[in-house]
Amino acid sequence: MSDHTSARTVPTRRECVKYAGAAVGGALLAGCTGVRDPSDDGNGSGGEGSYSVTMEPVGTVSFETAPASWVGGFGFTADVLTALGRADGVAGMAGPSFWFQGFYDALGVETPDPSEIPKISSEDWTIDLETLYETDPDVFTVDPNVLLSYGVSETELDRLIDGVAPFLGNASRRKRAEGWPNWPDGEPYGYYDIPTMVRLYGKAFDASDRATALVEIYERALTGITDRVPTGTDRPTVGVLNGRYTPENRSGFVVYNPASEIEKTYGKKQYRDLDVRDAFAGIYDGRSSVTVDYETLLEYDPDVIIFHLGVVHRDLGGANLVRPTIDLLADHPVARKVTAVEDDALYVGGTPYQGPISNLFQSEMTAKQLYPDIFGEWPGFTDGEPYPEIPEDERLFDRQRLVDIVEGGV
């Protein structure tokens, strides 16, 4: 385990916002209060004027005041913090272009322009340390193991923690790969679902009232959707494909397993919640995705194809990267025989970097795409439209209540 103990004895505010418990020594926290046992639920507070939050794998982080600025990853914590009214604090992200904002546009909620957010990763997906230091945030809302997996050394991680800001993040998008760094002690650690992450970040950013209200509307809306999902074999079979990759530009179509091996992960949550009937069931052999050719796509013959990450790919780098794939399927002599292609049941799917706002919209979107007789027809995206207009009586969650929470009217 890395030793983050510092000999400084007069801590600044930033020095107080550091790790407590097993991850740090006592000298760093001299003069700081709010240290808690990392085995508790993450929602306690310390002495007057200070509080702390516990999150695996980082342990307990003590705050004197709420962080004003933060660095995020590819959109998950950005979505959580937007929901908590803290979007303007973004100082940098690993992949700002993957932060889909069409859902906020549909709500009328203003957020920073991703093209203007400093990108802390380089083109080869390593961490740009110079930019990372320049962001100078109050907190890194990413799992430190993500940085380690991108090639940052533990020594450099120590420097960031001691000299810049603490980390408060947990990689729960999908099952962590074999060889995951598992900092700080090499031991595997738990996953968090969306409501838990909302509550923890609500505590960290002094927005617990909003977090409570947000979790309430989120869970109520999802229950209202999942309780109506049909069962049985009369449901359509679904192929979840990457909209960018085809046999023409890669080794084949990338097909994702819509099931999640870890229940709390959020990357494919809408497919799990909506009990998607997977057209490719049995093909994965323990993997989360497989690559197939035209003939295999026709062999498994999905009734519906959803392009996972499609909301991002239709606007990525100023180009619609889904449209060429749809055109290819329609024009190819084998692919056009697939039921989903024949029936024009080809849909833009959601981003896996989804927090509570994105997941609500994406659950609504997928429910309408798969079960229109129950949830109403999906009108589809059009060019330049952030999210299609849904008739008020066919919306699956309360837009205005969500806006009120984001804007602080809890």
Side-chain angles (χ1 to χ4, degrees):
M1 183 181 298
S2 300
D3 179 11
H4 303 305
T5 303
S6 168
R8 291 166 287 188
T9 57
V10 184
T12 63
R13 180 184 66 84
R14 173 160 288 163
E15 287 169 331
C16 286
V17 188
K18 292 288 184 179
Y19 297 109
V24 296
L28 173 62
L29 290 163
C32 298
T33 55
V35 182
R36 294 194 303 117
D37 182 342
S39 65
D40 70 12
D41 63 3
N43 289 315
S45 61
E48 185 177 352
S50 66
Y51 59 98
S52 53
V53 179
T54 299
M55 180 186 294
E56 294 187 47
V58 301
T60 300
V61 184
S62 182
F63 296 90
E64 285 277 324
T65 59
S69 61
W70 52 271
V71 165
F74 291 85
F76 171 69
T77 54
D79 192 72
V80 173
L81 294 174
T82 296
L84 296 174
R86 301 294 188 268
D88 287 346
V90 60
M93 291 178 64
S97 63
F98 286 87
W99 183 19
F100 180 68
Q101 299 198 339
F103 306 129
Y104 314 140
D105 294 339
L107 292 173
V109 171
E110 292 188 9
T111 49
D113 183 346
S115 67
E116 298 177 359
I117 297 172
K119 184 172 180 283
I120 65 167
S121 61
S122 59
E123 294 306 314
D124 61 355
W125 295 111
T126 56
I127 297 299
D128 182 342
L129 286 171
E130 182 178 356
T131 300
L132 186 60
Y133 276 97
E134 287 174 353
T135 61
D136 193 31
D138 290 330
V139 63
F140 295 108
T141 61
V142 293
D143 189 324
N145 286 293
V146 172
L147 269 64
L148 293 174
S149 70
Y150 281 13
V152 174
S153 68
E154 285 203 27
T155 299
E156 197 65 57
L157 187 65
D158 290 345
R159 291 194 187 105
L160 287 164
I161 293 170
D162 290 338
V164 183
F167 283 77
L168 190 67
N170 175 287
S172 290
R173 175 169 65 91
R174 60 185 180 184
K175 182 181 179 181
R176 299 172 196 129
E178 205 170 313
W180 187 252
N182 287 320
W183 177 94
D185 56 9
E187 293 296 322
Y189 52 98
Y191 295 78
Y192 293 109
D193 59 18
I194 289 176
T196 301
M197 292 295 276
V198 168
R199 292 187 183 99
L200 290 173
Y201 281 120
K203 176 65 179 176
F205 283 80
D206 193 24
S208 289
D209 288 347
R210 288 194 212 201
T212 298
L214 180 64
V215 169
E216 180 182 349
I217 184 178
Y218 174 78
E219 292 184 331
R220 184 170 65 246
L222 287 188
T223 297
I225 295 172
T226 57
D227 282 353
R228 298 166 62 193
V229 171
T231 59
T233 58
D234 57 344
R235 298 170 298 140
T237 60
V238 181
V240 180
L241 275 63
N242 187 302
R244 294 180 65 180
Y245 302 130
T246 73
E248 308 304 314
N249 60 25
R250 195 162 163 153
S251 54
F253 297 103
V254 176
V255 179
Y256 297 105
N257 184 349
S260 304
E261 186 173 342
I262 306 296
E263 183 72 16
K264 291 182 178 180
T265 55
Y266 56 78
K268 294 180 288 187
K269 187 176 188 298
Q270 69 272 36
Y271 309 125
R272 182 175 72 236
D273 288 346
L274 291 165
D275 195 22
V276 163
R277 188 178 170 213
D278 183 17
F280 294 87
I283 199 175
Y284 305 104
D285 193 25
R287 294 164 291 179
S288 62
S289 66
V290 294
T291 301
V292 303
D293 56 17
Y294 291 107
E295 289 72 22
T296 306
L297 185 65
L298 179 58
E299 177 187 351
Y300 285 86
D301 195 25
D303 297 321
V304 173
I305 289 175
I306 294 178
F307 296 111
H308 193 45
L309 259 169
V311 292
V312 174
H313 288 157
R314 74 188 186 105
D315 299 311
L316 195 61
N320 187 328
L321 302 179
V322 180
R323 175 52 56 186
T325 301
I326 292 175
D327 293 342
L328 175 67
L329 290 167
D331 294 339
H332 193 274
V334 175
R336 66 184 172 208
K337 297 178 183 178
V338 174
T339 299
V341 181
E342 287 185 330
D343 294 346
D344 196 26
L346 307 172
Y347 299 115
V348 170
T351 169
Y353 309 109
Q354 56 181 334
I357 294 177
S358 297
N359 184 243
L360 282 174
F361 275 99
Q362 292 179 173
S363 297
E364 176 182 78
M365 179 170 71
T366 309
K368 290 177 175 294
Q369 290 168 348
L370 298 183
Y371 314 119
D373 292 344
I374 296 173
F375 297 104
E377 292 284 344
W378 169 245
F381 287 103
T382 58
D383 289 343
E385 186 177 35
Y387 189 79
E389 181 64 26
I390 305 293
E392 191 167 349
D393 62 349
E394 293 184 14
R395 295 173 181 173
L396 303 186
F397 63 94
D398 187 340
R399 271 44 164 193
Q400 187 55 55
R401 177 59 182 143
L402 187 56
V403 171
D404 290 343
I405 293 169
V406 172
E407 295 180 346
V410 297

